[in-house]
Amino acid sequence: MVTAERLDLALLRDDEGNSVRITVLGPLQGVAGGLSAEIVVDTPFVAGRVALSLWRSRLTEWGEALDRLGAGEDIAWLHVQRGPAVHIHLNGERDCPEVVVEDVLVSMTTVRVPIDLPSDWIATHRGMLAAVLDAWDGHLSPE
């Protein structure tokens, strides 16, 4: 049985109180090899959360998205699949990175959060991804 604790896959936040967090909560009930997760948006203006299901392929895609961000490209993660999507624009409307969370399927809501990220945030997130994969490797299906 997997006993790993909740782990953050992403924690994008700044000193202004804006944050977007993706947390792995544990095994996905009723689905072998999947993980239950949530996306939490918290700002001084708006707060919300949406459930997210993760598989090894989605975690691999997150790693590829981090590589593209490191190369200076904007990303859209999970944008062609059912459920919420996360977009990261390195140069948003407020002259800083912004994270856009879309939940088109359930709430039909989109939230755009400007976040002044530290210079090492991509390396930090690569480490978070590695920690999630290390903790849950035995549970995740090979695909």
Side-chain angles (χ1 to χ4, degrees):
M1 177 174 184
V2 175
T3 58
E5 296 180 25
R6 295 165 54 127
L7 289 171
D8 286 332
L9 178 63
L11 181 54
L12 305 158
R13 65 178 172 194
D14 62 21
D15 293 337
E16 303 297 320
N18 295 320
S19 70
V20 175
R21 186 180 76 237
I22 303 171
T23 303
V24 175
L25 304 173
L28 186 59
Q29 296 298 315
V31 180
L35 296 172
S36 175
E38 67 180 354
I39 301 171
V40 178
V41 174
D42 190 19
T43 77
F45 179 68
V46 65
R49 65 182 358 106
V50 62
L52 176 66
S53 299
L54 296 173
W55 292 271
R56 185 177 303 276
S57 61
R58 288 183 170 187
L59 294 171
T60 299
E61 289 168 5
W62 177 239
E64 292 166 355
L66 291 172
D67 291 343
R68 287 193 313 277
L69 288 162
E73 297 176 36
D74 293 346
I75 62 102
W77 183 53
L78 307 176
H79 70 287
V80 295
Q81 300 174 7
R82 294 185 60 148
V86 176
H87 304 260
I88 299 177
H89 304 282
L90 295 173
N91 295 305
E93 294 177 6
R94 306 264 188 292
D95 294 327
C96 70
E98 68 182 8
V99 180
V100 179
V101 178
E102 294 180 314
D103 180 31
V104 177
L105 188 63
V106 177
S107 69
M108 296 180 281
T109 302
T110 300
V111 178
R112 181 178 308 271
V113 183
I115 303 177
D116 188 17
L117 296 168
S119 61
D120 65 344
W121 73 275
I122 294 173
T124 299
H125 282 79
R126 285 185 176 126
M128 295 168 99
L129 173 59
V132 166
L133 289 170
D134 286 346
W136 291 103
D137 187 57
H139 174 78
L140 290 164
S141 63
E143 300 155 11

